[in-house]
PDB file of all heavy atoms in Angstrom:
ATOM      1  N   LEU A1513      83.954 151.456 175.108  1.00  0.00           N
ATOM      2  CA  LEU A1513      85.051 152.180 174.472  1.00  0.00           C
ATOM      3  C   LEU A1513      84.960 152.073 172.950  1.00  0.00           C
ATOM      4  O   LEU A1513      84.466 151.077 172.421  1.00  0.00           O
ATOM      5  CB  LEU A1513      86.392 151.639 174.958  1.00  0.00           C
ATOM      6  CG  LEU A1513      86.615 151.659 176.482  1.00  0.00           C
ATOM      7  CD1 LEU A1513      87.953 151.037 176.839  1.00  0.00           C
ATOM      8  CD2 LEU A1513      86.523 153.081 177.017  1.00  0.00           C
ATOM      9  N   PRO A1514      85.467 153.072 172.238  1.00  0.00           N
ATOM     10  CA  PRO A1514      85.397 153.049 170.764  1.00  0.00           C
ATOM     11  C   PRO A1514      86.449 152.128 170.159  1.00  0.00           C
ATOM     12  O   PRO A1514      87.352 151.630 170.855  1.00  0.00           O
ATOM     13  CB  PRO A1514      85.673 154.509 170.395  1.00  0.00           C
ATOM     14  CG  PRO A1514      86.530 155.021 171.514  1.00  0.00           C
ATOM     15  CD  PRO A1514      86.038 154.324 172.752  1.00  0.00           C
ATOM     16  N   ALA A1515      86.349 151.910 168.846  1.00  0.00           N
ATOM     17  CA  ALA A1515      87.310 151.084 168.120  1.00  0.00           C
ATOM     18  C   ALA A1515      88.717 151.625 168.337  1.00  0.00           C
ATOM     19  O   ALA A1515      88.945 152.833 168.360  1.00  0.00           O
ATOM     20  CB  ALA A1515      86.969 151.069 166.633  1.00  0.00           C
ATOM     21  N   GLY A1516      89.658 150.710 168.513  1.00  0.00           N
ATOM     22  CA  GLY A1516      91.051 151.097 168.678  1.00  0.00           C
ATOM     23  C   GLY A1516      91.506 151.210 170.108  1.00  0.00           C
ATOM     24  O   GLY A1516      92.712 151.182 170.373  1.00  0.00           O
ATOM     25  N   GLN A1517      90.568 151.349 171.046  1.00  0.00           N
ATOM     26  CA  GLN A1517      90.948 151.473 172.449  1.00  0.00           C
ATOM     27  C   GLN A1517      90.875 150.110 173.144  1.00  0.00           C
ATOM     28  O   GLN A1517      89.987 149.304 172.857  1.00  0.00           O
ATOM     29  CB  GLN A1517      90.053 152.479 173.178  1.00  0.00           C
ATOM     30  CG  GLN A1517      90.295 153.929 172.775  1.00  0.00           C
ATOM     31  CD  GLN A1517      89.638 154.900 173.740  1.00  0.00           C
ATOM     32  OE1 GLN A1517      89.388 154.587 174.895  1.00  0.00           O
ATOM     33  NE2 GLN A1517      89.364 156.106 173.260  1.00  0.00           N
ATOM     34  N   SER A1518      91.795 149.888 174.068  1.00  0.00           N
ATOM     35  CA  SER A1518      91.846 148.607 174.788  1.00  0.00           C
ATOM     36  C   SER A1518      91.054 148.671 176.084  1.00  0.00           C
ATOM     37  O   SER A1518      91.091 149.683 176.798  1.00  0.00           O
ATOM     38  CB  SER A1518      93.304 148.228 175.099  1.00  0.00           C
ATOM     39  OG  SER A1518      94.020 148.005 173.911  1.00  0.00           O
ATOM     40  N   GLY A1519      90.338 147.623 176.357  1.00  0.00           N
ATOM     41  CA  GLY A1519      89.578 147.492 177.585  1.00  0.00           C
ATOM     42  C   GLY A1519      89.181 146.043 177.755  1.00  0.00           C
ATOM     43  O   GLY A1519      89.697 145.150 177.064  1.00  0.00           O
ATOM     44  N   GLU A1520      88.238 145.779 178.647  1.00  0.00           N
ATOM     45  CA  GLU A1520      87.816 144.395 178.853  1.00  0.00           C
ATOM     46  C   GLU A1520      86.856 143.959 177.753  1.00  0.00           C
ATOM     47  O   GLU A1520      85.914 144.685 177.406  1.00  0.00           O
ATOM     48  CB  GLU A1520      87.142 144.201 180.211  1.00  0.00           C
ATOM     49  CG  GLU A1520      86.814 142.741 180.477  1.00  0.00           C
ATOM     50  CD  GLU A1520      86.138 142.484 181.808  1.00  0.00           C
ATOM     51  OE1 GLU A1520      85.750 143.460 182.479  1.00  0.00           O
ATOM     52  OE2 GLU A1520      85.972 141.310 182.172  1.00  0.00           O
ATOM     53  N   LEU A1521      87.092 142.778 177.209  1.00  0.00           N
ATOM     54  CA  LEU A1521      86.237 142.222 176.160  1.00  0.00           C
ATOM     55  C   LEU A1521      84.990 141.606 176.784  1.00  0.00           C
ATOM     56  O   LEU A1521      85.082 140.768 177.679  1.00  0.00           O
ATOM     57  CB  LEU A1521      87.016 141.160 175.381  1.00  0.00           C
ATOM     58  CG  LEU A1521      86.272 140.439 174.255  1.00  0.00           C
ATOM     59  CD1 LEU A1521      85.910 141.401 173.137  1.00  0.00           C
ATOM     60  CD2 LEU A1521      87.106 139.286 173.716  1.00  0.00           C
ATOM     61  N   TRP A1522      83.825 142.049 176.309  1.00  0.00           N
ATOM     62  CA  TRP A1522      82.549 141.446 176.682  1.00  0.00           C
ATOM     63  C   TRP A1522      81.982 140.772 175.440  1.00  0.00           C
ATOM     64  O   TRP A1522      82.118 141.275 174.327  1.00  0.00           O
ATOM     65  CB  TRP A1522      81.569 142.508 177.176  1.00  0.00           C
ATOM     66  CG  TRP A1522      81.879 143.113 178.519  1.00  0.00           C
ATOM     67  CD1 TRP A1522      83.106 143.342 179.055  1.00  0.00           C
ATOM     68  CD2 TRP A1522      80.926 143.596 179.486  1.00  0.00           C
ATOM     69  NE1 TRP A1522      82.992 143.933 180.288  1.00  0.00           N
ATOM     70  CE2 TRP A1522      81.667 144.106 180.578  1.00  0.00           C
ATOM     71  CE3 TRP A1522      79.542 143.648 179.526  1.00  0.00           C
ATOM     72  CZ2 TRP A1522      81.044 144.654 181.699  1.00  0.00           C
ATOM     73  CZ3 TRP A1522      78.919 144.207 180.637  1.00  0.00           C
ATOM     74  CH2 TRP A1522      79.665 144.694 181.718  1.00  0.00           C
ATOM     75  N   ALA A1523      81.342 139.623 175.617  1.00  0.00           N
ATOM     76  CA  ALA A1523      80.780 138.873 174.489  1.00  0.00           C
ATOM     77  C   ALA A1523      79.350 138.462 174.787  1.00  0.00           C
ATOM     78  O   ALA A1523      78.998 138.161 175.931  1.00  0.00           O
ATOM     79  CB  ALA A1523      81.623 137.634 174.194  1.00  0.00           C
ATOM     80  N   ARG A1524      78.524 138.447 173.734  1.00  0.00           N
ATOM     81  CA  ARG A1524      77.142 137.997 173.870  1.00  0.00           C
ATOM     82  C   ARG A1524      76.773 137.165 172.648  1.00  0.00           C
ATOM     83  O   ARG A1524      77.221 137.422 171.543  1.00  0.00           O
ATOM     84  CB  ARG A1524      76.187 139.195 174.002  1.00  0.00           C
ATOM     85  CG  ARG A1524      74.727 138.776 174.198  1.00  0.00           C
ATOM     86  CD  ARG A1524      73.863 139.933 174.677  1.00  0.00           C
ATOM     87  NE  ARG A1524      73.659 140.947 173.649  1.00  0.00           N
ATOM     88  CZ  ARG A1524      72.936 142.047 173.839  1.00  0.00           C
ATOM     89  NH1 ARG A1524      72.389 142.290 175.019  1.00  0.00           N
ATOM     90  NH2 ARG A1524      72.784 142.931 172.863  1.00  0.00           N
ATOM     91  N   GLY A1525      75.939 136.172 172.868  1.00  0.00           N
ATOM     92  CA  GLY A1525      75.500 135.329 171.763  1.00  0.00           C
ATOM     93  C   GLY A1525      74.919 134.037 172.294  1.00  0.00           C
ATOM     94  O   GLY A1525      74.934 133.774 173.509  1.00  0.00           O
ATOM     95  N   PRO A1526      74.401 133.182 171.403  1.00  0.00           N
ATOM     96  CA  PRO A1526      73.771 131.934 171.842  1.00  0.00           C
ATOM     97  C   PRO A1526      74.766 130.954 172.439  1.00  0.00           C
ATOM     98  O   PRO A1526      74.372 129.990 173.098  1.00  0.00           O
ATOM     99  CB  PRO A1526      73.170 131.378 170.550  1.00  0.00           C
ATOM    100  CG  PRO A1526      74.038 131.932 169.469  1.00  0.00           C
ATOM    101  CD  PRO A1526      74.407 133.307 169.936  1.00  0.00           C
ATOM    102  N   MET A1527      76.056 131.193 172.205  1.00  0.00           N
ATOM    103  CA  MET A1527      77.092 130.290 172.724  1.00  0.00           C
ATOM    104  C   MET A1527      77.420 130.536 174.194  1.00  0.00           C
ATOM    105  O   MET A1527      78.051 129.701 174.842  1.00  0.00           O
ATOM    106  CB  MET A1527      78.372 130.405 171.887  1.00  0.00           C
ATOM    107  CG  MET A1527      79.093 131.740 171.975  1.00  0.00           C
ATOM    108  SD  MET A1527      78.262 133.098 171.096  1.00  0.00           S
ATOM    109  CE  MET A1527      78.380 132.518 169.408  1.00  0.00           C
ATOM    110  N   VAL A1528      76.981 131.659 174.746  1.00  0.00           N
ATOM    111  CA  VAL A1528      77.308 131.982 176.136  1.00  0.00           C
ATOM    112  C   VAL A1528      76.507 131.079 177.081  1.00  0.00           C
ATOM    113  O   VAL A1528      75.301 130.889 176.913  1.00  0.00           O
ATOM    114  CB  VAL A1528      77.019 133.467 176.436  1.00  0.00           C
ATOM    115  CG1 VAL A1528      77.213 133.774 177.923  1.00  0.00           C
ATOM    116  CG2 VAL A1528      77.928 134.360 175.590  1.00  0.00           C
ATOM    117  N   VAL A1529      77.188 130.527 178.074  1.00  0.00           N
ATOM    118  CA  VAL A1529      76.537 129.607 179.000  1.00  0.00           C
ATOM    119  C   VAL A1529      75.548 130.359 179.887  1.00  0.00           C
ATOM    120  O   VAL A1529      75.545 131.596 179.958  1.00  0.00           O
ATOM    121  CB  VAL A1529      77.555 128.853 179.877  1.00  0.00           C
ATOM    122  CG1 VAL A1529      78.528 128.061 179.006  1.00  0.00           C
ATOM    123  CG2 VAL A1529      78.305 129.808 180.804  1.00  0.00           C
ATOM    124  N   ARG A1530      74.728 129.601 180.568  1.00  0.00           N
ATOM    125  CA  ARG A1530      73.667 130.196 181.382  1.00  0.00           C
ATOM    126  C   ARG A1530      74.211 130.797 182.675  1.00  0.00           C
ATOM    127  O   ARG A1530      73.827 131.881 183.086  1.00  0.00           O
ATOM    128  CB  ARG A1530      72.624 129.126 181.698  1.00  0.00           C
ATOM    129  CG  ARG A1530      71.481 129.623 182.569  1.00  0.00           C
ATOM    130  CD  ARG A1530      70.568 128.477 182.988  1.00  0.00           C
ATOM    131  NE  ARG A1530      69.827 127.951 181.850  1.00  0.00           N
ATOM    132  CZ  ARG A1530      68.929 126.985 181.945  1.00  0.00           C
ATOM    133  NH1 ARG A1530      68.682 126.426 183.132  1.00  0.00           N
ATOM    134  NH2 ARG A1530      68.287 126.557 180.894  1.00  0.00           N
ATOM    135  N   GLU A1531      75.116 130.057 183.340  1.00  0.00           N
ATOM    136  CA  GLU A1531      75.557 130.480 184.678  1.00  0.00           C
ATOM    137  C   GLU A1531      76.703 129.594 185.134  1.00  0.00           C
ATOM    138  O   GLU A1531      77.050 128.614 184.467  1.00  0.00           O
ATOM    139  CB  GLU A1531      74.410 130.347 185.684  1.00  0.00           C
ATOM    140  CG  GLU A1531      73.926 128.917 185.827  1.00  0.00           C
ATOM    141  CD  GLU A1531      72.652 128.780 186.639  1.00  0.00           C
ATOM    142  OE1 GLU A1531      71.810 129.698 186.609  1.00  0.00           O
ATOM    143  OE2 GLU A1531      72.499 127.733 187.301  1.00  0.00           O
ATOM    144  N   TYR A1532      77.289 129.944 186.266  1.00  0.00           N
ATOM    145  CA  TYR A1532      78.202 129.048 186.962  1.00  0.00           C
ATOM    146  C   TYR A1532      77.388 128.174 187.914  1.00  0.00           C
ATOM    147  O   TYR A1532      76.512 128.665 188.632  1.00  0.00           O
ATOM    148  CB  TYR A1532      79.245 129.820 187.757  1.00  0.00           C
ATOM    149  CG  TYR A1532      80.299 130.507 186.921  1.00  0.00           C
ATOM    150  CD1 TYR A1532      80.571 131.860 187.083  1.00  0.00           C
ATOM    151  CD2 TYR A1532      81.047 129.800 185.985  1.00  0.00           C
ATOM    152  CE1 TYR A1532      81.539 132.503 186.340  1.00  0.00           C
ATOM    153  CE2 TYR A1532      82.020 130.427 185.225  1.00  0.00           C
ATOM    154  CZ  TYR A1532      82.264 131.780 185.413  1.00  0.00           C
ATOM    155  OH  TYR A1532      83.231 132.399 184.665  1.00  0.00           O
ATOM    156  N   TRP A1533      77.713 126.887 187.927  1.00  0.00           N
ATOM    157  CA  TRP A1533      76.960 125.924 188.722  1.00  0.00           C
ATOM    158  C   TRP A1533      77.119 126.219 190.220  1.00  0.00           C
ATOM    159  O   TRP A1533      78.233 126.221 190.750  1.00  0.00           O
ATOM    160  CB  TRP A1533      77.462 124.523 188.393  1.00  0.00           C
ATOM    161  CG  TRP A1533      76.738 123.418 189.084  1.00  0.00           C
ATOM    162  CD1 TRP A1533      77.175 122.703 190.159  1.00  0.00           C
ATOM    163  CD2 TRP A1533      75.457 122.880 188.727  1.00  0.00           C
ATOM    164  NE1 TRP A1533      76.246 121.745 190.489  1.00  0.00           N
ATOM    165  CE2 TRP A1533      75.185 121.835 189.630  1.00  0.00           C
ATOM    166  CE3 TRP A1533      74.529 123.183 187.741  1.00  0.00           C
ATOM    167  CZ2 TRP A1533      74.015 121.085 189.567  1.00  0.00           C
ATOM    168  CZ3 TRP A1533      73.366 122.442 187.671  1.00  0.00           C
ATOM    169  CH2 TRP A1533      73.111 121.412 188.568  1.00  0.00           C
ATOM    170  N   ASN A1534      75.991 126.476 190.873  1.00  0.00           N
ATOM    171  CA  ASN A1534      75.959 126.701 192.321  1.00  0.00           C
ATOM    172  C   ASN A1534      76.901 127.819 192.770  1.00  0.00           C
ATOM    173  O   ASN A1534      77.413 127.792 193.894  1.00  0.00           O
ATOM    174  CB  ASN A1534      76.305 125.417 193.084  1.00  0.00           C
ATOM    175  CG  ASN A1534      75.198 124.376 192.984  1.00  0.00           C
ATOM    176  OD1 ASN A1534      74.043 124.708 192.757  1.00  0.00           O
ATOM    177  ND2 ASN A1534      75.557 123.103 193.151  1.00  0.00           N
ATOM    178  N   ARG A1535      77.121 128.820 191.898  1.00  0.00           N
ATOM    179  CA  ARG A1535      77.994 129.942 192.254  1.00  0.00           C
ATOM    180  C   ARG A1535      77.281 131.251 191.918  1.00  0.00           C
ATOM    181  O   ARG A1535      77.667 131.960 190.975  1.00  0.00           O
ATOM    182  CB  ARG A1535      79.319 129.844 191.499  1.00  0.00           C
ATOM    183  CG  ARG A1535      80.145 128.608 191.809  1.00  0.00           C
ATOM    184  CD  ARG A1535      80.781 128.668 193.187  1.00  0.00           C
ATOM    185  NE  ARG A1535      81.747 129.740 193.263  1.00  0.00           N
ATOM    186  CZ  ARG A1535      83.037 129.615 192.914  1.00  0.00           C
ATOM    187  NH1 ARG A1535      83.487 128.450 192.458  1.00  0.00           N
ATOM    188  NH2 ARG A1535      83.846 130.623 193.034  1.00  0.00           N
TER     189      ARG A1535
END
Side-chain angles (χ1 to χ4, degrees):
L1513 304 177
Q1517 289 194 24
S1518 296
E1520 185 180 9
L1521 179 65
W1522 289 33
R1524 182 165 70 180
M1527 67 287 295
V1528 174
V1529 301
R1530 179 187 291 183
E1531 61 189 32
Y1532 288 127
W1533 183 257
N1534 289 336
R1535 298 287 295 273

